[in-house]
Structure formats: C-alpha cells, structure tokens
C-alpha cells in the first residue's frame, strides 16, 4: 500500500493507486492523482469525473468502458459519449483511469 500526500493529509492508496477510503476523495486529491499520472485536469475531465461519481452513487459500482461510454452519451451527448473522446481524455484507459481520478474503486471487469 502506498500513500498520496495532499497538503497536510496522507491518503492511503491500494497497490493499483486507487483510494483505499472513498471518503478521502476531494478535488485536490483528484488533481494530485492526475499529476501522478502526468495528466492535467481540464473542464472536460471534470465533466466526466463528476458524471462518474454520479453513476457510482446511483449504481454503487464503477462502470467498465462500454457502460461508461453509454452513460456519458446519455448524459452529455454523443459528441462526448464516444470511445475516441474518452480515450483522448484518459490516455486510452478511460474506465480505469477516470475511476481512479474520481476516487472510485477499480471497475471489476478491467484488468
């Protein structure tokens, strides 16, 4: 297990870099996790992260790629709910990386 330091806080991460405690998530934590992935969060990223957190609240699971694409298309429209857009934002692993940055568990069917 590793940790992420955000300000004065030390946040526990699992072996894959996901939050151990979902309650530790904040926008500052997301920004720090993104920096660790060499990613700077833009408003487009935040839009998807906010959507993912809403999905998790509704369904109590992190979506794999296909459901993530469908849900994004449903909520944000087809120009944002497609694999090309999400792959561009999240370096080719949208379900895994977006879940990590949103402070959610790793999607169960993602390797």
């Amino acid at each position: 297990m590793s940790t992420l330091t955000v300000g004065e806080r030390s946040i526990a991460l699992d072996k894959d870099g996901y939050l151990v405690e979902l309650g530790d998530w904040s926008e500052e934590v997301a920004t720090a996790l993104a920096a660790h992935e060499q990613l700077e969060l833009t408003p487009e990223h935040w839009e998807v992260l906010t959507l993912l957190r809403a999905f998790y609240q509704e369904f109590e699971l992190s979506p794999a790629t296909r459901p993530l694409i469908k849900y994004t298309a449903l909520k944000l429209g087809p120009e944002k709910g497609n694999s090309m857009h999400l792959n561009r934002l999240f370096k080719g692993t949208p379900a895994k990386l977006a879940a990590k940055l949103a402070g959610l568990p790793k999607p169960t069917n993602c390797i």
Side-chain angles (χ1 to χ4, degrees), residues 3 10-13 27 41 52 55 62 92-93 99 102 110:
T3 58
S10 190
I11 310 290
L13 303 176
E27 289 188 5
L41 296 177
L52 253 178
F55 183 98
S62 298
T93 58
C110 287

Side-chain angles (χ1 to χ4, degrees), residues 44 47-48 51 66 68-89:
E44 286 185 309
E47 190 173 48
V48 175
L51 192 70
R66 252 187 225 148
L68 172 61
I69 291 168
K70 284 185 173 185
Y71 193 74
T72 305
L74 178 70
K75 300 293 187 179
L76 302 178
E79 66 283 348
K80 293 183 180 180
N82 63 71
S83 58
M84 285 178 52
H85 178 73
L86 293 172
N87 283 329
R88 181 180 57 78
L89 289 176

Side-chain angles (χ1 to χ4, degrees), residues 52-65:
L52 253 178
R53 290 186 62 80
F55 183 98
Y56 188 82
Q57 280 197 315
E58 187 174 343
F59 300 106
E60 295 185 3
L61 60 93
S62 298
T65 301

